[in-house]
Amino acid sequence: MRVEIWSDIACPWCYIGKARFEKGLAAFAHRDDVEVVHRSFELDPNRPKGDIGPVIPMLAAKYGRTLEEARAMEANVASNAHAEGLGYLADGRDHGNTFDIHRVLHLAKARGRQSELLDLAYRTNFAEERSVFDPAVLAEIAVAAGLDAEEVRTVIADENAYADAVRADEREAAELGANAVPFFVLDRKYGISGGQPAEVFAQALDQAWQERTPALRPLGDAAGDRAGGDGETCGPDGCEVPR
Amino acid sequence: MRVEIWSDIACPWCYIGKARFEKGLAAFAHRDDVEVVHRSFELDPNRPKGDIGPVIPMLAAKYGRTLEEARAMEANVASNAHAEGLGYLADGRDHGNTFDIHRVLHLAKARGRQSELLDLAYRTNFAEERSVFDPAVLAEIAVAAGLDAEEVRTVIADENAYADAVRADEREAAELGANAVPFFVLDRKYGISGGQPAEVFAQALDQAWQERTPALRPLGDAAGDRAGGDGETCGPDGCEVPR
């Protein structure tokens, strides 16, 4: 079974939802047969690349609240994070454009290090003083996740590197009807929106598992120009000889 | 869209079918939105690990043919390979147990080098004098595919490394009803059996594309203990505040 998770590194419910999903997955009997794929979603794709700053004043301006009220909002989210055992500095993080972070996450995916880098990126953004929007910090955590330093530098410097992969993920999110994150898709059949409790994920995995591997519809016969033809195969009893 | 291909390195129609699929994919308008995943299938999982030998006598014994007839069978397959522009030594390859090769292919998958190693493994088995069943040759091509030499040695030596991943692929093949390879699955919805002509793959991709991204069924609401509840999300307009 395959679970795709659309998220943004700037999204606290994605950070919290990931931990809840992983608890649900740990409680799921067939967890070893679940493949998890993380996909890109930018909450604020139009934010200029250099526009980086502390999140509290941004939240206050965005919601028309006082700084104190914005701080209380972050504290509320922080307590939800702490309840999942996650670090969260309630006034530590920056806001900014996450496109470059997603591009480097796609490099990490290609090198089998996506999960490691995603965890580090979340932790850096939400639980540490340093800013994940600083390209030097991004490079540092990418190397800590196991990526090659030179390759990371090249990807960060080249705005086109993995840009198509980020945009393809975002197109798919739109096609699937996801306009907020985290968004979880099970076997391209079930959608789960938001950082649900772990038990909800466990139950959803159970349900999707019961209904997995539906009968495949055969293609090839009808589409091909060969009468009734499957292509040649090899099986336990040997290989077919061409007609 | 996602295409999964079950195959065995010892399967000539998988080698040929892969080339035909790739031609079909190259002719498909949305090829950049197609993710290809290769999955393990052993044609002869019960063959003892050390039982390695030239394929012609094995084919003759298996099909009750003379050596000359077995050679003609291989020559027939070779001509199909040559027609796709693939190298094929009609009397060059060995037979043997492919479990270790699949395990190393899963290591390569984890490191983002699966496609590179699969191509090298096929080429080594079908188009070169050296034997892919020789662990030293397997290690050599794995390093040539971009893997770390020490990691490859460790995985080859440890029979449990990635063994579960191979078996999980094989369980899925069985669940999907595939008992011969190559077997192509499009978005877990369509199955295509065998090394079909490139045009068949192109048409199948077109058809599956037309019907991709069906409406997802929501999960969470019904499964959860919260009334009508999606989990908290962040969207373009900000993050939800917990209830």
Side-chain angles (χ1 to χ4, degrees), chain A residues 136-155:
Chain A
V137 171
L138 176 58
E140 193 181 316
I141 64 172
V143 171
L147 295 178
D148 176 74
E150 185 52 40
E151 197 171 33
V152 168
R153 263 194 300 275
T154 305
V155 166

Side-chain angles (χ1 to χ4, degrees), chain A residues 27-237:
Chain A
F28 175 56
H30 305 282
R31 58 187 170 274
D32 293 338
D33 291 308
V34 175
E35 177 194 9
V36 178
V37 179
H38 294 281
R39 299 211 177 275
S40 300
F41 189 103
E42 293 167 275
L43 286 173
D44 197 356
N46 298 321
R47 181 175 299 278
K49 194 171 167 174
D51 181 5
I52 297 163
V55 78
I56 300 280
M58 184 278 284
L59 290 175
K62 183 166 196 165
Y63 294 101
R65 307 285 180 92
T66 65
L67 287 178
E68 198 171 341
E69 287 167 336
R71 255 181 228 113
M73 289 164 64
E74 272 289 277
N76 186 329
V77 176
S79 71
N80 275 270
H82 295 152
E84 301 301 331
L86 298 170
Y88 200 108
L89 296 176
D91 58 358
R93 67 185 171 108
D94 282 350
H95 68 94
N97 185 300
T98 57
F99 192 65
D100 286 352
I101 305 172
H102 285 294
R103 291 195 299 106
V104 178
L105 280 165
H106 272 281
L107 165 65
K109 183 181 183 187
R111 299 288 172 264
R113 303 291 182 184
Q114 189 189 37
S115 173
E116 289 85 347
L117 181 56
L118 187 61
D119 282 341
L120 278 175
Y122 276 135
R123 199 169 76 202
T124 304
N125 191 37
F126 292 111
E128 298 185 4
E129 292 290 346
R130 59 188 178 161
S131 174
V132 73
F133 297 98
D134 176 343
V137 171
L138 176 58
E140 193 181 316
I141 64 172
V143 171
L147 295 178
D148 176 74
E150 185 52 40
E151 197 171 33
V152 168
R153 263 194 300 275
T154 305
V155 166
I156 291 177
D158 175 5
E159 288 192 353
N160 292 318
Y162 294 100
D164 287 349
V166 177
R167 293 194 185 108
D169 279 356
E170 295 179 334
R171 263 199 313 277
E172 282 202 304
E175 288 172 356
L176 291 166
N179 48 26
V181 285
F183 192 75
F184 302 76
V185 175
L186 282 59
D187 270 350
R188 283 291 165 115
K189 207 163 51 177
Y190 299 99
I192 304 177
S193 178
Q196 303 269 1
E199 316 82 67
V200 172
F201 286 118
Q203 289 174 37
L205 287 164
D206 268 333
Q207 184 173 337
W209 182 263
Q210 300 305 324
E211 302 180 27
R212 78 196 189 288
T213 58
L216 291 174
R217 291 161 56 184
L219 270 182
D221 304 39
D225 54 358
R226 289 142 53 120
D230 275 357
E232 285 87 8
T233 58
C234 299
D237 297 327

Side-chain angles (χ1 to χ4, degrees), chain A residues 219, chain B residues 1 186 190 203-212:
Chain A
L219 270 182
Chain B
M1 200 161 66
L186 282 59
Y190 300 99
Q203 289 174 37
L205 288 163
D206 267 333
Q207 183 173 337
W209 181 264
Q210 300 305 323
E211 301 180 28
R212 78 194 188 290

